[in-house]
Amino acid sequence: MNRSSETSPAMGFILLGLSAHPELAKTFFVLILLMYLVILLGNGVLILVTVLDSRLHTPMYFFLGNLSFLDICYTTSSVPLILDSFLTPRKTISFSACAVQMFLSFAMGATECVLLSMMAFDRYVAICNPLRYPVVMSKAAYVPMAASSWAAGITNSVVQTSLAMRLPFCGDSVINHFTCEILAVLKLACADISVNVISMVVANMIFLALPVLFIFVSYVFIIATILRMPSAEGRRKAFSTCSAHLTVVVIFYGTILFMYGKPKSKDPLGTDKQDVADRLISLFYGVVTPMLNPIIYSLRNKDVKAAVRNLVAQKHLPE
């Protein structure tokens, strides 16, 4: 391709968003804004109760607090930009801002993959080896586990973002997305992206395939242990301790598989419609899962519900 058509980093990019469908912009602006406020409120309350309530100072709730903080960071890295794109058709974003947004989204997504597998291990030890749980999941173990999740996600994001943003970009620099989504950005490159593809395949194996396999094996042992319990009450209590996590895992990975596993349309008109649908699915994936996480953990966990009630009651106590 003609090197003279390369995009200078100073020129930045144009986010297409819903520019071709302005009639949808206001509706989605209100909808995404409301969902973002629910995310901030729900996850903020979860972080607050896991810090303030001493009964929740356990490995499971420590991981849950990390998950809530991660969800706030993940959505904050993209939702304000998305909302702005609804109000500003063909939103312009600088090269550096695009790199930062890509880095944060990638880091939070990869971290959540690892963190969910750490939470599965916590449930495995709690149900399959309850007598050893205080030793195996001591503070000296679960704090480094959470820290390693963040470190792994950030490291992966540094690699993927640096490989993507070092490429020369051509044409009018229009990103057919709401944000600087890496696959949409790579379509603008006017250089060989085989290194990027290989690195992303390796990253997907490490941060998607391996955690899914680990979670699957953990729950095979968990379910087998629960089914061997003699009393129905014991089985119910054991399953209730991991049902919220299992629900979150199914929603998180199920949405990813739906996004990237469905067949592509070969019809040009169908391709255009599918591009819009893919962007909207990606958009809702970025906000629905973080919004549902605190709801799931609050509805299915009596300890969290009790902690929230105590927090509310304390706020209403007379001075």
Side-chain angles (χ1 to χ4, degrees):
M1 190 173 291
N2 188 356
R3 305 291 291 184
S4 63
S5 64
E6 287 184 14
T7 299
S8 167
M11 296 171 62
F13 300 98
I14 297 172
L15 298 173
L16 194 59
L18 285 176
S19 299
H21 303 274
E23 69 280 2
L24 300 176
K26 291 183 179 180
T27 301
F28 279 102
F29 176 86
V30 174
L31 185 60
I32 299 302
L33 177 60
L34 290 175
M35 294 172 75
Y36 182 52
L37 294 176
V38 172
I39 290 168
L40 295 179
L41 178 62
N43 286 287
V45 169
L46 267 184
I47 293 172
L48 201 60
V49 297
T50 56
V51 170
L52 297 180
D53 196 313
S54 59
R55 293 171 299 178
L56 302 185
H57 292 175
T58 64
M60 183 175 75
Y61 296 111
F62 177 76
F63 288 131
L64 179 57
N66 273 263
L67 182 64
S68 294
F69 179 68
L70 189 153
D71 283 339
I72 290 176
C73 293
Y74 178 75
T75 52
T76 302
S77 71
S78 58
V79 170
L81 182 63
I82 292 170
L83 293 175
D84 191 18
S85 72
F86 289 144
L87 300 177
T88 311
R90 297 178 69 87
K91 165 74 178 176
T92 301
I93 183 172
S94 69
F95 187 88
S96 58
C98 185
V100 170
Q101 192 273 318
M102 182 188 295
F103 166 79
L104 291 174
S105 294
F106 233 110
M108 298 305 107
T111 300
E112 183 159 355
C113 291
V114 182
L115 189 64
L116 287 174
S117 67
M118 298 293 185
M119 295 173 77
F121 178 74
D122 171 73
R123 293 299 84 206
Y124 162 76
V125 178
I127 293 174
C128 299
N129 296 284
L131 297 179
R132 296 188 60 201
Y133 184 77
V135 177
V136 176
M137 295 302 297
S138 64
K139 190 172 184 179
Y142 68 75
V143 172
M145 287 170 66
S148 65
S149 300
W150 285 91
I154 291 171
T155 301
N156 175 61
S157 186
V158 168
V159 173
Q160 302 301 334
T161 304
S162 60
L163 286 176
M165 302 311 285
R166 70 174 177 80
L167 293 169
F169 298 101
C170 303
D172 53 6
S173 301
V174 175
I175 298 176
N176 191 17
H177 213 277
F178 298 101
T179 63
C180 291
E181 200 266 342
I182 190 166
L183 295 179
V185 172
L186 290 179
K187 290 180 180 179
L188 303 179
C190 51
D192 182 27
I193 61 169
S194 57
V195 174
N196 302 77
V197 172
I198 293 171
S199 68
M200 290 183 67
V201 169
V202 172
N204 286 340
M205 292 297 296
I206 296 172
F207 290 94
L208 285 176
L210 287 181
V212 167
L213 179 62
F214 185 83
I215 292 169
F216 175 77
V217 172
S218 296
Y219 272 99
V220 167
F221 284 105
I222 289 171
I223 293 171
T225 301
I226 291 175
L227 293 177
R228 288 199 301 266
M229 292 179 177
S231 69
E233 181 66 15
R235 290 194 295 270
R236 186 191 66 79
K237 287 184 177 179
F239 186 73
S240 67
T241 64
C242 58
S243 59
H245 173 259
L246 186 58
T247 304
V248 169
V249 166
V250 170
I251 293 173
F252 180 78
Y253 286 107
T255 310
I256 292 176
L257 291 175
F258 177 77
M259 284 170 56
Y260 296 107
K262 64 183 187 302
K264 302 295 183 181
S265 173
K266 295 181 179 180
D267 175 55
L269 184 60
T271 300
D272 179 63
K273 292 180 179 179
Q274 190 175 63
D275 283 343
V276 176
D278 288 346
R279 277 180 275 156
L280 291 176
I281 291 171
S282 176
L283 170 62
F284 279 98
Y285 160 73
V287 292
V288 170
T289 304
M291 183 184 70
L292 290 179
N293 286 352
I295 296 173
I296 292 168
Y297 274 99
S298 297
L299 292 177
R300 304 185 69 88
N301 191 298
K302 62 180 181 180
D303 293 331
V304 172
K305 286 191 285 188
V308 172
R309 283 196 297 267
N310 290 339
L311 182 64
V312 173
Q314 289 175 8
K315 293 293 183 182
H316 287 85
L317 287 177
E319 296 292 337

